Amino acid sequence: MNKPKLTIIGCGFMGKQIAASFINAGLEVCLVKYGPASSQDLAQVQAACQKLLADPAEASALTVVSYKDYRQQGQTSGLVIESIIEDQAAKQALFADLGQVLASEVLLATNTSSLSIQALAEKLSPELKQNFLGLHFFAPVTSNPLVEVIPHPDLADEKVQALCQWLSHRVGKKYIIAQDVTGFVANRIAFYSNYDIMCRAEAKHWLPSQSDALSGKYIGRTKMGPYRLVDYTGLDLFEQALANYQADPTCQDFFPSRSAHQPLLEAGFYGDKVGQGYYKKDQGKRYHFNFQKQTYEETSFPRFAIMDELDRLASSDRFKAILDAGDPYGQFMAQTLIKLLYFAAQNVGLACQSYQDIDRAMVWGYQWTYGPFQIWDMMGFDRVKDLLAASDKPLPDWLTRFQGPFYPDSKSLARHQSLSAYSTDQILDQGPDFILYQAPQDALIFSLEASHSVISLDLLKGLDQALDRLAEGSHKGLVIYSPQKHFSRGYDIKAFEASIAQDRVQEACQISFALGHRIIQRIKYSQKPIAVACRGYCLGAGAELALHASKIFASPQLQIGLPEANLGLIPGAGGLVELAERIYTEEMSRMERKERLLACFETVAYGKISAHAKEALRLGYLRQEDVIVPNEDYLLEASLDWLTFQAHYQTFRPQFPQSYPVLGKEFMALVMGTTQNWRQGLFISDHDKVLADGIGQVLAGGDVAMGIQVNREDLFQVEKTVFSQLLSSQKTQERIQHFVKHKTILHN
């Protein structure tokens, strides 16, 4: 796996997605059009694939050729991935031809979600079998981290492990090693659970919307319930997959026959691809199919009493409440979970070797909030085991011997050392918002522990104390980190809403400003390195903390931004000041500086959030010296390693305050002309114009003549004045109150 170039044969949806994913990881890819291919066909494939790239500048890493040319030119890849039609005979025909041209050391992988690896390899030579495996990527491949690795039995374990390490460290994928069974792991577990839900719902004569409502977020899954998901994938394809499971001796007892959907199949109503299935849309209205009446009727997302109870609970507390529920809808959800857990337990040692890999498959591949065995722990290990033992189905042998819980120390599914491995010594733990850890090798870790890692005054006070420890002790540096899915969704907006209700806006503003500015100044000018490890959302005040760090370690899918304008505010903790200062202190012409400032103005005024880390670079949130870590599981480890490197080689150079000339009134005139055009075109409201002009005023450096020297404190004063005025305005207060109540943006 030392060669950076790899070959993908097949230019369909998945082939292009896989190619783009590898190019986004910095690899060179040869994408081969299988079958007849004109120069126009190849150009169309090239253009379609380039649209999937995170950075258009990396298009040169992609080569698109016909299969004929590929075969004539010979291959130079260490890995060839086949991604043609999901048909065993077609794949085997391609493998037979490839066997004549592939070198003996080349790994040959098939991208398949359903076909048996051993069956596909039946006609391969013994040499090719020793290099053959399945790679099941999950769409969209460019953002979904999971790949299931299904080795052929003749493939040596050391080759499998080398490939898995390469996929993890170099490509940034999260892998599990699956057995060659129907559906492998993720699809097998999800298909069963969805099918079970539909069978039990139809036995109760429930409508599709009812069971979908009980099968989404309240049991830790996406909003798309089983019926809606089948419409999306196709009822015909679902039936084909079902036939495979029902023919599998290990699955037969779990997939009974059902008939309620037969009228839809007979009518050819296969779902979204034909415009109707279990659901359909007509003139803006959504309808579901009523199995009893054999007709469509208007639908809406139903609401059940148990949902109100579950809404009041944290997601991790909902599972026990579901198990305790006495109403029929809660009991239905409880049965969904219990049956899932039993099926998952049966597949340990069958679909994969560990229960952790089943959890990884569902969380990484299907974006479930928790995997089955994590849910088991939350419901009570012994209680669930006793319930299953009391049923008429025997427990698998491994489970009868197992003494729980499944995750006694940490619920982390990562394969590397998680936060718990570095957190043997808690230095500060003064509330639910943060913990300061003493990490090995004399580094500090400040962990954001609040729900969604929101930034609160208590958290800022704790961070202030952490910075004291850093400055006064022998610690080599500090990492700011969140063990949660997202680094931070921003400042605790409910605190602002409370100050509005109590008529103490200015007092709250003064307190938050004083502490917030103190913190970011200490971070920016720290005499010791401070790293921020960011993944998921890094928004508002969370982004402002990150922007001032010595270095950001970012996941490839980082979504960072300053969206305060959506609430009628400007960034209030120096984020806008930092972006302006970066532009003013960089060597460039006045025209280029003006263009960069205007681009920054539009980014913040529109509340743009990066779709990924490479866009964050283009938007100016990340600097070239910041690090994009291919696999986000290694963010903390990479951050700590960097601190160790800085301390060992004494390479860290702290920043110091400086002054610089600003564009002042010249830039402000440009901003006001732009916002006036927006207002006249009815793109923004009067209050939006006031807000946008305030953003421009900070970027301009204040109401000063062009060329006047200012410093960071001058820009802080401009920022504070604008922020205070906006927070005191009725329009902004209405936006904040509306967002807290409805979780939607008010455009007033």
Side-chain angles (χ1 to χ4, degrees):
M1 295 312 305
N2 293 323
K3 297 177 180 178
K5 186 173 183 177
L6 60 135
T7 298
I8 298 166
I9 302 176
C11 297
F13 172 79
M14 287 299 289
K16 292 193 288 286
Q17 284 269 335
I18 296 168
S21 179
F22 281 110
I23 294 171
N24 288 342
L27 297 165
E28 186 180 355
V29 173
C30 177
L31 183 58
V32 181
K33 179 77 166 66
Y34 190 58
S38 65
S39 57
Q40 183 178 3
D41 293 333
L42 299 180
Q44 289 176 345
V45 170
Q46 181 102 19
C49 192
Q50 287 176 7
K51 291 180 180 178
L52 300 172
L53 300 182
D55 185 354
E58 294 180 336
S60 59
L62 172 67
T63 303
V64 181
V65 301
S66 67
Y67 183 72
K68 178 181 178 182
D69 288 343
Y70 166 74
R71 203 178 186 286
Q72 290 176 347
Q73 294 167 5
Q75 58 78 33
T76 59
S77 305
L79 172 64
V80 174
I81 301 175
E82 166 275 313
S83 186
I84 65 171
I85 186 173
E86 188 81 335
D87 178 82
Q88 181 168 314
K91 288 178 183 286
Q92 287 179 326
L94 171 59
F95 297 154
D97 191 65
L98 284 173
Q100 303 175 42
V101 298
L102 292 184
S104 59
E105 74 275 9
V106 175
L107 286 178
L108 174 60
T110 176
N111 173 51
T112 178
S113 61
S114 60
L115 299 178
S116 166
I117 302 305
Q118 292 199 60
L120 287 172
E122 280 179 356
K123 300 177 182 180
L124 293 180
S125 67
E127 292 76 20
L128 270 181
K129 286 182 180 178
Q130 292 175 7
N131 287 300
F132 186 67
L133 72 155
L135 291 177
H136 177 204
F137 293 91
F138 286 72
V141 186
T142 52
S143 58
N144 192 305
L146 180 64
V147 57
E148 292 180 329
V149 178
I150 313 100
H152 187 275
D154 293 348
L155 181 62
D157 288 343
E158 57 266 25
K159 290 184 179 181
V160 176
Q161 291 303 321
L163 175 64
C164 289
Q165 288 301 307
W166 181 77
L167 286 168
S168 176
H169 290 83
R170 184 66 180 85
V171 184
K173 287 295 181 182
K174 300 182 179 183
Y175 69 89
I176 63 167
I177 298 177
Q179 302 297 316
D180 190 11
V181 297
T182 308
F184 308 132
V185 181
N187 284 354
R188 184 180 178 93
I189 300 296
F191 192 97
Y192 163 73
S193 188
N194 287 335
Y195 191 78
D196 165 67
I197 289 169
M198 291 189 287
C199 285
R200 289 185 294 110
E202 288 162 17
K204 295 176 179 293
H205 306 298
W206 283 5
L207 300 169
S209 56
Q210 288 178 290
S211 44
D212 278 358
L214 295 168
S215 309
K217 72 171 186 176
Y218 292 106
I219 57 173
R221 304 182 189 179
T222 63
K223 292 182 179 180
M224 191 178 287
Y227 289 103
R228 181 67 194 92
L229 179 62
V230 174
D231 269 1
Y232 178 75
T233 58
L235 274 74
D236 52 340
L237 296 179
F238 189 84
E239 285 299 294
Q240 294 173 22
L242 175 62
N244 293 332
Y245 286 107
Q246 290 179 328
D248 185 338
T250 66
C251 292
Q252 288 173 344
D253 292 343
F254 295 94
F255 292 90
S257 298
R258 50 188 276 265
S259 59
H261 64 302
Q262 287 300 324
L264 295 174
L265 288 173
E266 293 167 4
F269 296 159
Y270 296 146
D272 292 356
K273 58 187 173 185
V274 297
Q276 61 189 102
Y278 293 113
Y279 296 94
K280 73 173 183 177
K281 274 187 176 180
D282 186 18
Q283 297 182 344
K285 294 183 178 180
R286 180 173 289 278
Y287 299 82
H288 60 220
F289 188 76
N290 188 312
F291 299 119
Q292 296 297 105
K293 298 178 180 178
Q294 294 289 292
T295 187
Y296 286 96
E297 59 188 20
E298 192 171 346
T299 188
S300 60
F301 198 84
R303 186 80 186 171
F304 303 108
I306 190 172
M307 294 178 178
D308 294 329
E309 177 186 352
L310 297 178
D311 277 337
R312 292 190 289 267
L313 300 173
S315 60
S316 59
D317 295 329
R318 289 173 178 168
F319 302 106
K320 188 175 184 302
I322 289 172
L323 196 58
D324 292 334
D327 67 293
Y329 301 111
Q331 291 174 356
F332 182 87
M333 297 165 77
Q335 277 298 300
T336 296
L337 295 172
I338 292 296
K339 285 177 167 289
L340 163 69
L341 301 186
Y342 183 76
F343 185 73
Q346 291 289 341
N347 277 278
V348 174
L350 177 64
C352 57
Q353 289 304 310
S354 71
Y355 61 81
Q356 293 96 331
D357 275 350
I358 290 180
D359 283 350
R360 289 168 179 144
M362 306 320 300
V363 173
W364 295 345
Y366 272 81
Q367 282 75 59
W368 287 10
T369 307
Y370 304 102
F373 296 97
Q374 290 176 310
I375 293 172
W376 192 319
D377 276 353
M378 294 174 196
M379 296 173 77
F381 175 83
D382 290 329
R383 183 180 180 187
V384 172
K385 187 175 179 180
D386 290 345
L387 284 173
L388 293 178
S391 67
D392 57 352
K393 294 183 179 180
L395 296 180
D397 290 341
W398 75 271
L399 186 57
T400 59
R401 300 187 301 269
F402 190 88
Q403 300 297 317
F406 294 106
Y407 298 92
D409 300 320
S410 169
K411 290 185 172 62
S412 173
L413 300 177
R415 297 182 182 279
H416 72 300
Q417 289 184 316
S418 62
L419 177 60
S420 60
Y422 298 104
S423 56
T424 55
D425 185 12
Q426 295 185 15
I427 301 174
L428 289 175
D429 182 6
Q430 299 176 348
D433 292 352
F434 69 90
I435 300 175
L436 179 65
Y437 294 109
Q438 166 73 63
Q441 299 180 327
D442 208 17
L444 295 174
I445 301 173
F446 187 83
S447 178
L448 311 183
E449 299 286 332
S451 177
H452 302 302
S453 299
V454 296
I455 309 299
S456 65
L457 285 177
D458 286 341
L459 183 142
L460 291 176
K461 291 174 183 176
L463 184 52
D464 201 27
Q465 294 179 59
L467 293 170
D468 287 340
R469 297 291 185 104
L470 177 64
E472 297 165 1
S474 61
H475 310 291
K476 66 181 62 171
L478 170 71
V479 177
I480 303 175
Y481 174 78
S482 172
Q484 304 178 64
K485 181 179 180 181
H486 302 289
F487 176 74
S488 176
R489 289 183 177 269
Y491 194 76
D492 183 7
I493 195 65
K494 291 182 179 179
F496 277 139
E497 195 271 343
S499 68
I500 292 170
Q502 298 167 12
D503 195 23
R504 49 185 297 272
V505 169
Q506 286 304 317
E507 179 186 349
C509 185
Q510 292 293 333
I511 295 172
S512 61
F513 251 94
L515 184 55
H517 281 178
R518 170 180 163 82
I519 294 295
I520 62 159
Q521 289 290 81
R522 297 191 70 186
I523 292 174
K524 183 174 179 65
Y525 299 123
S526 172
Q527 296 298 299
K528 296 179 182 178
I530 297 176
V532 174
C534 294
R535 61 182 168 190
Y537 286 127
C538 179
L539 305 178
E544 293 180 285
L545 281 180
L547 286 171
H548 290 87
S550 311
K551 193 178 289 290
I552 295 175
F553 289 82
S555 72
Q557 302 303 322
L558 177 66
Q559 294 177 269
I560 185 172
L562 300 171
E564 286 88 346
N566 290 320
L567 297 177
L569 292 168
I570 68 168
L576 197 54
V577 172
E578 174 64 20
L579 295 178
E581 192 168 71
R582 291 180 184 181
I583 297 171
Y584 280 123
T585 55
E586 189 176 334
E587 286 292 331
M588 65 183 76
S589 67
R590 189 175 74 179
M591 181 57 67
E592 185 180 0
R593 182 167 284 117
K594 188 184 298 183
E595 290 174 353
R596 290 272 301 277
L597 284 169
L598 187 59
C600 180
F601 162 75
E602 292 181 349
T603 294
V604 179
Y606 286 129
K608 290 182 183 177
I609 298 170
S610 68
H612 42 70
K614 290 183 178 178
E615 186 180 27
L617 275 168
R618 296 197 293 273
L619 293 176
Y621 291 125
L622 294 184
R623 303 155 297 187
Q624 290 299 325
E625 59 264 33
D626 292 324
V627 178
I628 300 174
V629 180
N631 189 329
E632 68 175 30
D633 285 346
Y634 299 98
L635 283 171
L636 180 57
E637 185 175 327
S639 302
L640 290 168
D641 285 347
W642 179 73
L643 294 184
T644 299
F645 178 89
Q646 299 299 312
H648 183 75
Y649 293 101
Q650 299 183 3
T651 55
F652 178 70
R653 298 294 180 265
Q655 297 188 59
F656 297 95
Q658 55 186 311
S659 61
Y660 35 81
V662 294
L663 295 186
K665 293 180 179 179
E666 179 182 290
F667 181 71
M668 198 60 219
L670 177 61
V671 167
M672 295 185 72
T674 300
T675 59
Q676 184 62 32
N677 289 335
W678 290 351
R679 183 66 190 105
Q680 289 177 349
L682 302 180
F683 298 109
I684 62 174
S685 66
D686 287 336
H687 190 57
D688 288 329
K689 185 179 186 313
V690 173
L691 168 64
D693 288 344
I695 294 170
Q697 192 173 352
V698 178
L699 293 174
D703 188 20
V704 297
M706 184 182 67
I708 292 294
Q709 291 272 336
V710 304
N711 57 36
R712 195 175 184 84
E713 289 299 328
D714 296 325
L715 294 188
F716 277 158
Q717 288 304 313
V718 179
E719 176 189 84
K720 181 178 179 180
T721 299
V722 174
F723 188 93
S724 299
Q725 290 172 347
L726 288 169
L727 186 58
S728 298
S729 70
Q730 182 180 347
K731 295 288 188 182
T732 288
Q733 292 180 8
E734 289 172 353
R735 292 187 183 191
I736 291 172
Q737 291 170 324
H738 180 88
F739 180 79
V740 170
K741 183 177 181 180
H742 301 288
K743 299 298 186 290
T744 57
I745 304 301
L746 174 65
H747 297 284
N748 58 349

